[in-house]
């Protein structure tokens, strides 16, 4: 059962990553967070922000029974800065 749940979580993460990456200029994977399957920062052109939010809302609504999708931002783009420590 646990293996099946991990497989389903990985499939959902891959699907949302593909959909959101198509709207974003770039993406960076964040650190692992306990209980979180995917932690990613997306770099957006300001003009794409509304479209990005729409993709998030549609994906969350379409997978409500299987996925909890949390969106935070906009935030400063520290994750994309050169020379990160």
């Amino acid at each position: 059962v646990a293996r099946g749940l991990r497989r389903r979580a990985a499939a959902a993460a891959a699907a949302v990553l593909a959909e959101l990456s198509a709207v974003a200029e770039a993406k960076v994977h964040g650190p692992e967070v306990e209980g979180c399957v995917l932690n990613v920062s997306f770099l957006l052109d300001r003009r794409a922000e509304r479209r990005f939010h729409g993709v998030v809302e549609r994906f969350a609504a379409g997978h409500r029974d299987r996925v909890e999708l949390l969106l935070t931002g906009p935030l400063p783009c520290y994750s994309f800065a050169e020379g990160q420590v």
Side-chain angles (χ1 to χ4, degrees):
V1 172
R3 197 172 330 147
L5 290 174
R6 283 193 299 274
R7 196 171 26 248
R8 285 176 55 182
V16 74
L17 187 60
E19 288 195 37
L20 296 178
S21 295
V23 180
E25 297 289 320
K27 69 179 180 295
V28 166
H29 288 268
E32 285 191 30
V33 176
E34 189 173 337
C36 181
V37 175
L38 182 66
N39 179 16
V40 179
S41 294
F42 294 93
L43 185 64
L44 304 175
D45 183 300
R46 282 192 193 277
R47 296 170 295 204
E49 188 175 345
R50 181 173 283 156
R51 181 173 170 222
F52 187 85
H53 281 262
V55 171
V56 169
E57 289 170 8
R58 281 189 299 281
F59 189 91
H63 298 85
R64 190 173 313 280
D65 59 330
R66 297 178 302 225
V67 173
E68 179 182 13
L69 187 57
L70 303 175
L71 175 64
T72 306
L75 299 170
C77 54
Y78 299 125
S79 298
F80 299 92
E82 294 283 327
Q84 298 178 50
V85 177

